[in-house]
Amino acid sequence: MSVSILDVLNVRHATYDLFSDLFLYKFSSEDFNDLLKKLSLIDEKLGEFIEETGVNVREVRRVIENSKRSDYLIEYSSLFIAGVGVKPLIPVESKRLFSLMGEKVATFKYNDVIRFYRSRHLVPKLISEFPPEPDHISSLLAFMSLLIEEEFKLRSSGKDAFKTVQDQKNFAVTHLFSWIPDWINDVINDPRSSIYKVVCSELSNWLKFERDFLGER
């Protein structure tokens, strides 16, 4: 069975969107249950297609379904909100880079994220009790899903998608591949990590696929 570029874009969009959701703080029981429903739906509808990229959605679904919401809340807050540890695990690009490389690099990266968002006329929206920063990992992954959706619409209508593809490459290289793999390694090796050890392992597999797909090895 041949797979079209639109099918691939559909899988890429869904995967980025799912990982974006996985790194949002699901404080309320309603938000947490919505995440479980989304995981179930994507696993059943697209799981086997996503698995071809090296990402096991079923494993992520299993570890979250088998966890108490209270355990999830403790793990998320201790890892990603408290900011305690040798390296900061707060999943915000500028905050991590500030502590590792200084203010100049952090400010440059933050302003570049804002420049990308403005190119798509995006403004921050208060979508939850804990809205993420513009360069929070969840925001960055959501922006990639938006760029892929843009490419999908262009190709579907027979228009040239070259600029959108270049923007995906530039954004991924500058704001995903540049710091997230190192951060993933820190999360996986942190003794407080259980649920997110699995989530980050699968995100690592996804970023490896994306590097190859975008030709950025």
Side-chain angles (χ1 to χ4, degrees):
M1 183 177 70
S2 63
V3 178
S4 73
I5 184 63
L6 295 182
D7 291 331
V8 175
L9 290 173
N10 190 37
V11 167
R12 290 180 67 221
H13 176 270
T15 308
Y16 271 114
D17 179 68
L18 176 62
F19 277 119
S20 173
D21 224 14
L22 285 164
F23 287 103
L24 279 177
Y25 191 32
K26 306 296 182 180
F27 183 74
S28 73
S29 57
E30 183 181 359
D31 286 346
F32 186 72
N33 288 332
D34 284 345
L35 177 62
L36 290 173
K37 289 175 188 172
K38 185 171 191 172
L39 268 167
S40 175
L41 183 66
I42 289 180
D43 181 26
E44 288 162 15
K45 298 280 187 183
L46 292 172
E48 64 180 276
F49 299 105
I50 294 174
E51 197 169 333
E52 292 180 22
T53 71
V55 175
N56 190 337
V57 176
R58 185 153 298 166
E59 182 63 12
V60 174
R61 178 185 175 186
R62 181 195 64 77
V63 75
I64 294 181
E65 284 182 343
N66 291 344
S67 301
K68 294 178 183 174
R69 180 171 152 264
S70 58
D71 292 336
Y72 158 83
L73 292 172
I74 290 168
E75 181 173 333
Y76 189 103
S77 58
S78 62
L79 283 171
F80 305 140
I81 297 176
V84 179
V86 178
K87 286 185 178 180
L89 293 183
I90 297 170
V92 177
E93 184 181 25
S94 59
K95 288 182 178 178
R96 183 172 173 89
L97 293 180
F98 180 84
S99 61
L100 297 177
M101 302 176 75
E103 183 178 3
K104 191 173 182 180
V105 173
T107 302
F108 174 80
K109 288 278 195 167
Y110 181 85
N111 288 338
D112 192 59
V113 168
I114 299 302
R115 178 183 66 80
F116 267 105
Y117 291 175
R118 283 178 177 159
S119 74
R120 295 315 191 272
H121 308 292
L122 291 179
V123 292
K125 294 179 181 177
L126 298 177
I127 56 171
S128 70
E129 293 176 67
F130 300 91
E133 295 91 336
D135 58 340
H136 188 284
I137 188 171
S138 182
S139 304
L140 301 176
L141 296 172
F143 185 68
M144 275 297 286
S145 72
L146 182 144
L147 291 178
I148 293 164
E149 183 180 1
E150 183 179 288
E151 181 186 353
F152 184 95
K153 288 177 180 176
L154 287 169
R155 290 187 185 277
S156 295
S157 57
K159 295 178 182 175
D160 185 13
F162 177 79
K163 184 182 184 305
T164 302
V165 172
Q166 290 305 118
D167 282 347
Q168 287 176 40
K169 289 183 179 182
N170 292 337
F171 189 79
V173 168
T174 310
H175 299 292
L176 302 184
F177 306 151
S178 57
W179 69 279
I180 294 178
D182 182 54
W183 172 82
I184 282 172
N185 192 51
D186 291 342
V187 174
I188 289 172
N189 290 306
D190 194 290
R192 298 168 296 178
S193 177
S194 175
I195 297 168
Y196 279 93
K197 187 188 292 284
V198 173
V199 175
C200 282
S201 294
E202 297 306 328
L203 178 59
S204 178
N205 292 337
W206 175 245
L207 293 181
K208 287 171 186 171
F209 169 82
E210 278 290 280
R211 273 188 186 274
D212 283 339
F213 185 83
L214 294 170
E216 293 299 333
R217 273 281 170 210

Coordinates of all heavy atoms in Angstrom, one line a residue, residues 53-113:
T53 N 7.3 5.2 12.8 CA 8.3 6.2 12.9 C 9.2 5.9 14.1 O 10.1 6.7 14.4 CB 7.6 7.6 13.2 OG1 7.0 7.6 14.5 CG2 6.5 7.9 12.2
G54 N 8.9 4.9 14.9 CA 9.7 4.5 16.0 C 9.1 4.9 17.3 O 9.7 4.7 18.4
V55 N 7.9 5.5 17.3 CA 7.2 5.9 18.5 C 6.1 5.0 18.9 O 5.2 4.6 18.1 CB 6.6 7.3 18.3 CG1 5.8 7.8 19.5 CG2 7.7 8.4 18.0
N56 N 6.1 4.5 20.2 CA 5.2 3.6 20.7 C 4.1 4.3 21.5 O 4.3 4.5 22.7 CB 5.9 2.5 21.5 CG 5.0 1.3 21.9 OD1 3.7 1.5 21.9 ND2 5.5 0.2 22.2
V57 N 3.0 4.7 20.9 CA 2.0 5.4 21.6 C 1.3 4.5 22.6 O 1.0 5.0 23.7 CB 0.9 5.9 20.6 CG1 -0.3 6.6 21.3 CG2 1.5 6.9 19.6
R58 N 1.2 3.3 22.4 CA 0.6 2.3 23.3 C 1.3 2.3 24.6 O 0.7 2.2 25.7 CB 0.5 0.9 22.7 CG -0.2 -0.1 23.5 CD -0.8 -1.2 22.7 NE -1.8 -0.6 21.7 CZ -2.3 -1.3 20.7 NH1 -1.8 -2.5 20.5 NH2 -3.1 -0.8 19.9
E59 N 2.7 2.4 24.6 CA 3.5 2.4 25.8 C 3.2 3.6 26.6 O 3.1 3.6 27.9 CB 4.9 2.2 25.5 CG 5.9 2.1 26.6 CD 5.6 0.9 27.5 OE1 4.9 0.0 27.1 OE2 6.2 0.9 28.6
V60 N 3.1 4.7 26.0 CA 2.8 6.0 26.7 C 1.4 5.9 27.3 O 1.2 6.3 28.4 CB 2.9 7.2 25.7 CG1 2.5 8.5 26.4 CG2 4.3 7.4 25.2
R61 N 0.5 5.4 26.5 CA -0.9 5.3 27.0 C -0.9 4.4 28.2 O -1.6 4.7 29.2 CB -1.8 4.7 25.9 CG -3.2 4.4 26.3 CD -3.9 3.8 25.1 NE -5.3 3.4 25.5 CZ -6.1 2.7 24.7 NH1 -5.7 2.3 23.5 NH2 -7.3 2.4 25.1
R62 N -0.2 3.2 28.1 CA -0.2 2.3 29.2 C 0.3 2.9 30.5 O -0.3 2.8 31.6 CB 0.7 1.1 28.9 CG 0.8 0.0 29.9 CD 1.9 -1.0 29.7 NE 3.2 -0.3 29.8 CZ 3.8 0.0 30.9 NH1 3.2 -0.3 32.1 NH2 5.0 0.6 30.9
V63 N 1.5 3.6 30.5 CA 2.1 4.2 31.7 C 1.2 5.2 32.3 O 1.2 5.4 33.5 CB 3.5 4.7 31.4 CG1 3.5 6.0 30.6 CG2 4.3 4.8 32.7
I64 N 0.5 6.0 31.5 CA -0.4 7.1 32.0 C -1.7 6.5 32.6 O -2.1 6.8 33.7 CB -0.6 8.2 31.0 CG1 0.7 8.9 30.7 CG2 -1.6 9.2 31.5 CD1 0.6 10.0 29.7
E65 N -2.2 5.5 31.8 CA -3.5 4.9 32.3 C -3.2 4.1 33.6 O -4.2 4.0 34.5 CB -4.0 3.9 31.2 CG -4.7 4.6 30.1 CD -5.3 3.6 29.1 OE1 -4.9 2.4 29.1 OE2 -6.1 4.1 28.2
N66 N -2.0 3.6 33.8 CA -1.7 2.8 35.0 C -1.3 3.6 36.2 O -0.9 3.1 37.2 CB -0.7 1.7 34.7 CG -1.3 0.6 33.8 OD1 -2.5 0.5 33.6 ND2 -0.4 -0.2 33.2
S67 N -1.2 5.0 36.0 CA -0.8 5.9 37.0 C -1.9 6.6 37.7 O -2.9 6.9 37.0 CB 0.2 6.9 36.4 OG 1.3 6.3 35.8
K68 N -1.8 6.8 39.0 CA -2.8 7.6 39.7 C -2.6 9.0 39.2 O -1.5 9.5 39.0 CB -2.7 7.5 41.2 CG -3.0 6.1 41.7 CD -2.7 6.2 43.2 CE -2.9 4.8 43.9 NZ -2.5 4.8 45.3
R69 N -3.7 9.8 39.2 CA -3.6 11.2 38.8 C -2.7 11.9 39.8 O -1.9 12.8 39.5 CB -5.0 11.9 38.8 CG -4.9 13.3 38.4 CD -6.3 13.9 38.1 NE -6.3 15.3 38.5 CZ -6.7 15.8 39.6 NH1 -7.2 15.0 40.6 NH2 -6.7 17.1 39.8
S70 N -2.8 11.6 41.1 CA -2.0 12.2 42.2 C -0.5 11.9 41.9 O 0.3 12.8 42.1 CB -2.4 11.7 43.5 OG -2.3 10.3 43.6
D71 N -0.2 10.7 41.4 CA 1.3 10.4 41.1 C 1.7 11.3 40.0 O 2.9 11.7 39.9 CB 1.4 8.9 40.8 CG 1.2 8.1 42.1 OD1 1.4 8.6 43.2 OD2 0.9 6.9 41.9
Y72 N 0.9 11.4 39.0 CA 1.2 12.2 37.8 C 1.4 13.7 38.2 O 2.4 14.3 37.8 CB 0.0 12.2 36.8 CG 0.0 13.3 35.8 CD1 0.8 13.4 34.7 CD2 -0.8 14.5 36.1 CE1 0.8 14.5 33.9 CE2 -0.8 15.5 35.3 CZ 0.0 15.6 34.2 OH 0.0 16.7 33.3
L73 N 0.6 14.2 39.1 CA 0.7 15.6 39.5 C 2.0 15.8 40.3 O 2.7 16.8 40.1 CB -0.5 16.0 40.4 CG -1.8 16.1 39.7 CD1 -3.0 16.4 40.7 CD2 -1.8 17.3 38.6
I74 N 2.3 14.9 41.2 CA 3.6 15.0 41.9 C 4.8 14.9 41.0 O 5.7 15.7 41.2 CB 3.6 13.9 43.0 CG1 2.6 14.2 44.1 CG2 5.0 13.8 43.6 CD1 2.4 13.0 45.0
E75 N 4.8 14.0 40.1 CA 5.9 13.8 39.2 C 6.1 15.0 38.3 O 7.2 15.6 38.2 CB 5.8 12.5 38.4 CG 7.0 12.4 37.4 CD 7.0 11.0 36.7 OE1 6.4 10.1 37.2 OE2 7.6 11.0 35.6
Y76 N 5.0 15.5 37.7 CA 5.1 16.7 36.8 C 5.6 17.9 37.6 O 6.6 18.5 37.1 CB 3.8 17.0 36.2 CG 3.9 18.0 35.1 CD1 3.8 17.7 33.7 CD2 4.0 19.4 35.4 CE1 3.9 18.6 32.7 CE2 4.2 20.3 34.4 CZ 4.1 19.9 33.1 OH 4.2 20.9 32.1
S77 N 5.0 18.2 38.7 CA 5.4 19.4 39.4 C 6.9 19.3 40.0 O 7.6 20.3 39.9 CB 4.4 19.7 40.6 OG 4.4 18.6 41.5
S78 N 7.3 18.1 40.5 CA 8.6 18.0 41.0 C 9.7 18.1 39.9 O 10.7 18.6 40.1 CB 8.8 16.7 41.8 OG 8.6 15.6 41.0
L79 N 9.4 17.5 38.8 CA 10.3 17.5 37.7 C 10.4 18.9 36.9 O 11.4 19.5 36.7 CB 10.0 16.5 36.6 CG 10.3 15.0 36.9 CD1 9.7 14.1 35.9 CD2 11.8 14.8 37.0
F80 N 9.2 19.4 36.6 CA 9.1 20.5 35.6 C 8.7 21.8 36.1 O 8.8 22.8 35.4 CB 8.1 20.1 34.5 CG 8.5 18.8 33.8 CD1 7.5 17.9 33.5 CD2 9.8 18.4 33.6 CE1 7.8 16.7 32.8 CE2 10.1 17.2 32.9 CZ 9.1 16.3 32.6
I81 N 8.3 21.9 37.4 CA 7.9 23.2 38.0 C 8.8 23.6 39.1 O 9.2 24.8 39.1 CB 6.4 23.1 38.5 CG1 5.5 22.9 37.3 CG2 6.0 24.4 39.2 CD1 4.0 22.7 37.7
A82 N 9.2 22.6 39.9 CA 10.1 23.0 41.1 C 11.5 23.5 40.6 O 12.0 24.4 41.2 CB 10.2 21.8 42.0
G83 N 12.0 22.9 39.6 CA 13.3 23.4 39.1 C 14.5 23.0 39.9 O 15.5 23.7 39.8
V84 N 14.4 22.0 40.7 CA 15.5 21.5 41.6 C 16.3 20.5 40.9 O 15.8 19.6 40.2 CB 14.9 20.9 42.9 CG1 16.0 20.5 43.8 CG2 14.1 22.0 43.6
G85 N 17.6 20.6 41.0 CA 18.5 19.6 40.4 C 19.8 20.3 39.9 O 19.9 21.5 39.9
V86 N 20.8 19.4 39.5 CA 22.0 20.0 39.0 C 21.8 20.8 37.7 O 22.3 21.9 37.6 CB 23.0 18.8 38.6 CG1 24.3 19.3 38.1 CG2 23.3 18.0 39.9
K87 N 21.0 20.3 36.8 CA 20.5 21.0 35.6 C 19.1 21.3 35.8 O 18.3 20.5 36.3 CB 20.8 20.2 34.4 CG 22.2 20.1 33.9 CD 22.3 19.4 32.6 CE 23.7 19.3 32.0 NZ 23.7 18.6 30.7
P88 N 18.6 22.4 35.3 CA 17.2 22.7 35.4 C 16.4 21.8 34.4 O 16.7 21.6 33.3 CB 17.0 24.2 34.9 CG 18.2 24.4 34.1 CD 19.3 23.5 34.6
L89 N 15.3 21.2 35.0 CA 14.5 20.3 34.1 C 13.2 21.1 33.7 O 12.4 20.5 33.0 CB 14.1 19.1 34.9 CG 15.2 18.1 35.2 CD1 14.7 16.8 35.9 CD2 16.0 17.7 33.9
I90 N 13.1 22.3 34.1 CA 11.9 23.1 33.6 C 12.0 23.1 32.1 O 13.0 23.6 31.5 CB 12.0 24.6 34.1 CG1 11.9 24.5 35.7 CG2 10.9 25.4 33.5 CD1 12.2 25.9 36.3
P91 N 10.9 22.7 31.4 CA 11.0 22.5 29.9 C 10.7 23.8 29.1 O 9.9 23.8 28.3 CB 9.9 21.4 29.7 CG 8.9 21.7 30.7 CD 9.7 22.1 31.9
V92 N 11.5 24.8 29.5 CA 11.4 26.1 28.8 C 12.8 26.5 28.2 O 13.7 26.5 29.0 CB 10.9 27.2 29.8 CG1 10.8 28.5 29.1 CG2 9.5 26.8 30.4
E93 N 12.8 26.6 26.9 CA 14.1 26.8 26.3 C 15.0 27.9 26.9 O 16.1 27.7 27.2 CB 13.9 27.0 24.8 CG 15.2 27.1 24.0 CD 15.0 27.4 22.5 OE1 13.9 27.9 22.1 OE2 15.9 27.0 21.7
S94 N 14.4 29.1 27.0 CA 15.2 30.2 27.5 C 15.6 30.1 28.9 O 16.8 30.5 29.3 CB 14.4 31.5 27.3 OG 13.2 31.5 28.0
K95 N 14.8 29.5 29.8 CA 15.2 29.3 31.2 C 16.3 28.2 31.3 O 17.2 28.4 32.1 CB 14.0 28.8 32.0 CG 12.9 29.9 32.2 CD 11.8 29.5 33.0 CE 10.8 30.6 33.3 NZ 9.6 30.2 34.1
R96 N 16.2 27.2 30.5 CA 17.3 26.2 30.5 C 18.6 26.8 30.0 O 19.7 26.7 30.6 CB 17.0 25.0 29.7 CG 18.0 23.9 29.7 CD 17.5 22.6 29.1 NE 18.6 21.6 28.9 CZ 18.9 20.7 29.8 NH1 18.2 20.7 31.0 NH2 19.8 19.8 29.6
L97 N 18.5 27.5 28.9 CA 19.7 28.1 28.3 C 20.3 29.2 29.1 O 21.5 29.4 29.2 CB 19.4 28.6 26.9 CG 19.1 27.6 25.8 CD1 18.8 28.2 24.5 CD2 20.2 26.6 25.7
F98 N 19.4 29.9 29.9 CA 19.9 31.0 30.7 C 20.9 30.4 31.8 O 21.9 31.0 32.1 CB 18.7 31.7 31.4 CG 19.2 32.8 32.4 CD1 19.4 34.1 31.9 CD2 19.3 32.6 33.7 CE1 19.8 35.1 32.7 CE2 19.7 33.6 34.6 CZ 19.9 34.8 34.1
S99 N 20.5 29.3 32.4 CA 21.3 28.7 33.5 C 22.5 28.0 32.9 O 23.6 27.9 33.6 CB 20.5 27.8 34.3 OG 20.0 26.7 33.5
L100 N 22.5 27.5 31.7 CA 23.6 26.8 31.1 C 24.5 27.6 30.3 O 25.7 27.4 30.2 CB 23.1 25.6 30.2 CG 22.3 24.5 30.9 CD1 21.8 23.5 29.9 CD2 23.1 23.9 32.0
M101 N 24.0 28.7 29.6 CA 24.8 29.4 28.6 C 24.7 31.0 28.8 O 25.4 31.7 28.1 CB 24.3 29.1 27.2 CG 24.5 27.6 26.9 SD 23.8 27.1 25.3 CE 25.2 27.8 24.2
G102 N 23.9 31.4 29.7 CA 23.8 32.8 30.0 C 22.7 33.6 29.3 O 22.0 33.1 28.5
E103 N 22.6 34.8 29.8 CA 21.4 35.7 29.3 C 21.4 36.0 27.9 O 20.3 36.0 27.2 CB 21.4 37.0 30.1 CG 20.2 37.9 29.8 CD 20.2 39.1 30.7 OE1 21.2 39.3 31.4 OE2 19.3 39.9 30.6
K104 N 22.6 36.2 27.3 CA 22.6 36.6 25.9 C 22.0 35.6 24.9 O 21.2 35.9 24.1 CB 24.1 37.0 25.5 CG 24.2 37.6 24.1 CD 25.7 38.1 23.9 CE 25.8 38.8 22.6 NZ 27.2 39.2 22.3
V105 N 22.5 34.3 25.1 CA 22.0 33.2 24.3 C 20.5 33.0 24.5 O 19.7 32.8 23.6 CB 22.8 31.9 24.6 CG1 22.1 30.7 23.8 CG2 24.2 32.1 24.2
A106 N 20.1 33.0 25.8 CA 18.7 32.8 26.2 C 17.8 33.8 25.5 O 16.7 33.5 25.0 CB 18.5 32.8 27.7
T107 N 18.2 35.1 25.6 CA 17.4 36.2 25.0 C 17.3 36.1 23.5 O 16.2 36.3 23.0 CB 18.0 37.6 25.4 OG1 18.0 37.6 26.9 CG2 17.1 38.7 24.9
F108 N 18.4 35.7 22.9 CA 18.4 35.6 21.4 C 17.4 34.5 21.0 O 16.6 34.7 20.1 CB 19.8 35.3 20.9 CG 19.9 35.0 19.4 CD1 19.9 36.0 18.5 CD2 19.9 33.6 19.0 CE1 19.9 35.7 17.1 CE2 19.9 33.3 17.6 CZ 19.9 34.4 16.7
K109 N 17.5 33.4 21.7 CA 16.6 32.2 21.3 C 15.1 32.6 21.6 O 14.3 32.2 20.8 CB 17.0 31.0 22.2 CG 18.3 30.4 21.8 CD 18.1 29.5 20.6 CE 19.3 28.5 20.4 NZ 19.1 27.5 19.5
Y110 N 14.9 33.2 22.7 CA 13.5 33.6 23.0 C 12.9 34.5 22.0 O 11.8 34.3 21.5 CB 13.4 34.3 24.4 CG 12.0 34.7 24.8 CD1 11.2 33.7 25.4 CD2 11.5 36.0 24.6 CE1 9.9 34.1 25.8 CE2 10.3 36.3 24.9 CZ 9.4 35.4 25.5 OH 8.2 35.7 25.9
N111 N 13.7 35.5 21.6 CA 13.3 36.5 20.6 C 13.0 35.8 19.2 O 12.2 36.2 18.4 CB 14.3 37.7 20.4 CG 14.2 38.6 21.6 OD1 13.2 38.6 22.4 ND2 15.3 39.3 21.9
D112 N 13.8 34.8 18.9 CA 13.7 34.1 17.7 C 12.4 33.3 17.6 O 11.7 33.3 16.6 CB 14.9 33.2 17.4 CG 14.9 32.6 16.0 OD1 15.0 33.4 15.1 OD2 14.9 31.4 15.8
V113 N 12.0 32.7 18.8 CA 10.7 32.0 18.9 C 9.6 33.0 18.6 O 8.7 32.7 17.8 CB 10.6 31.4 20.3 CG1 9.1 30.9 20.5 CG2 11.5 30.2 20.4

